[in-house]
Amino acid sequence: MSDWKAKRFWKEATVEEGNGGFEVKLDGRPVKTPAKRSLLLPTRAMAEVIAAEWDAQEGEIKPHLMPATKTANAAIDKVAVQHAEVADMLADYGDCDLLCYRAEGPAELVARQAELWNPMLDWAQQALGVRLALREGVMHAPQDSAALAVLRDKTHALSSFELAAFHDLVSLSGSLVLGFAAAHQARDPEALWDLSRLDEIWQAEQWGVDEQAEEMAAVKKDSFLHANAMFTLCRQV
């Protein structure tokens, strides 16, 4: 019995509107989350992506080939039931945002951080209404409490589906500002990912590429881009 694996049992995956959202149905039966909750999706666009994942399954079901379904399940089974806790955890990144902590040297790295990261802090001031202060070195220094309160409110305002995607945008990049920039489509998501890896890219230029580290980074990049796509689907019709 330990070798038993779920296999495709349906002929067609479809999308139907109802119950205040959109459902994916397998031969007319609605898909459930692992916790047996209704997989009720906020937009038809997201539902169609998830339906396509189910339709693409052949033979044995492979959950790792269904990333949109996995994110939607997390939004319903995990984020929705602890929305405030997840929002607080992500908002805390604002007090230690990657973009604020600058190298003490060498001068070339300091200059590159200023050239590429400062415009994102400028964007945050314009789009989010906060100006985060710079720090030299890695020692933590708290940001202005009023600015953090603004960022916290904006994080809490996200829906459970948005917050599930936002979780990966922030945690993978190490930056609340970059997470919001992705959510606002302020920059190309691949460019935002590269900004989050500025220090690693600079180190590779100096000392050569660490292939194992690059492989891990590629996996994280794929997850970041998937999270960006899912956040976008939350706001499409």
Side-chain angles (χ1 to χ4, degrees), residues 199-228:
D199 290 351
E200 290 84 352
I201 292 171
W202 189 86
Q203 290 288 345
E205 291 172 357
Q206 309 310 307
W207 312 110
V209 174
D210 181 326
E211 292 187 3
Q212 185 175 6
E214 287 299 306
E215 289 176 1
M216 293 177 62
V219 172
K220 292 180 179 180
K221 178 181 179 179
D222 286 344
S223 296
F224 182 87
L225 296 178
H226 165 69
N228 181 81

Side-chain angles (χ1 to χ4, degrees), residues 21-220:
F22 297 87
E23 291 182 307
V24 174
K25 294 189 174 182
L26 307 179
D27 295 342
R29 291 180 290 181
V31 175
K32 299 289 186 179
T33 70
K36 306 304 181 184
R37 296 183 174 94
S38 295
L39 188 69
L40 191 63
L41 305 160
T43 66
R44 179 176 291 276
M46 183 183 293
E48 287 176 347
V49 168
I50 291 174
E53 288 184 344
W54 286 87
D55 251 346
Q57 296 295 303
E58 295 181 1
E60 179 186 316
I61 298 174
K62 299 178 176 62
H64 67 281
L65 298 179
M66 306 171 75
T69 303
K70 180 179 179 181
T71 300
N73 286 338
I76 295 168
D77 286 348
K78 297 179 180 180
V79 177
V81 298
Q82 52 182 350
H83 187 282
E85 293 87 344
V86 175
D88 279 338
M89 182 267 289
L90 295 175
D92 285 345
Y93 275 82
D95 197 35
C96 54
D97 198 286
L98 169 73
L99 304 187
C100 296
Y101 285 81
R102 305 301 175 86
E104 299 175 275
E108 294 85 353
L109 177 57
V110 173
R112 186 179 299 186
Q113 288 177 337
E115 176 188 0
L116 297 179
W117 285 353
N118 284 2
M120 297 311 304
L121 295 178
D122 294 339
W123 172 84
Q125 184 173 13
Q126 292 181 336
L128 306 177
V130 298
R131 183 74 196 190
L132 297 179
L134 301 184
R135 314 297 185 208
E136 189 174 89
V138 297
M139 295 299 294
H140 175 258
Q143 294 283 347
D144 176 69
S145 59
L148 294 178
V150 171
L151 294 174
R152 191 170 302 277
D153 287 346
K154 291 182 180 297
T155 305
H156 276 264
L158 298 174
S159 72
S160 294
F161 281 90
E162 290 171 335
L163 199 61
F166 195 63
H167 174 277
D168 285 356
L169 292 174
V170 174
S171 62
L172 290 169
S173 69
S175 169
L176 189 61
V177 170
L178 291 179
F180 273 118
H184 284 247
Q185 299 182 327
R187 299 286 190 281
D188 178 82
E190 294 210 20
L192 292 174
W193 176 250
D194 287 344
L195 288 176
S196 77
R197 298 196 67 247
L198 186 154
D199 290 351
E200 290 84 352
I201 292 171
W202 189 86
Q203 290 288 345
E205 291 172 357
Q206 309 310 307
W207 312 110
V209 174
D210 181 326
E211 292 187 3
Q212 185 175 6
E214 287 299 306
E215 289 176 1
M216 293 177 62
V219 172
K220 292 180 179 180

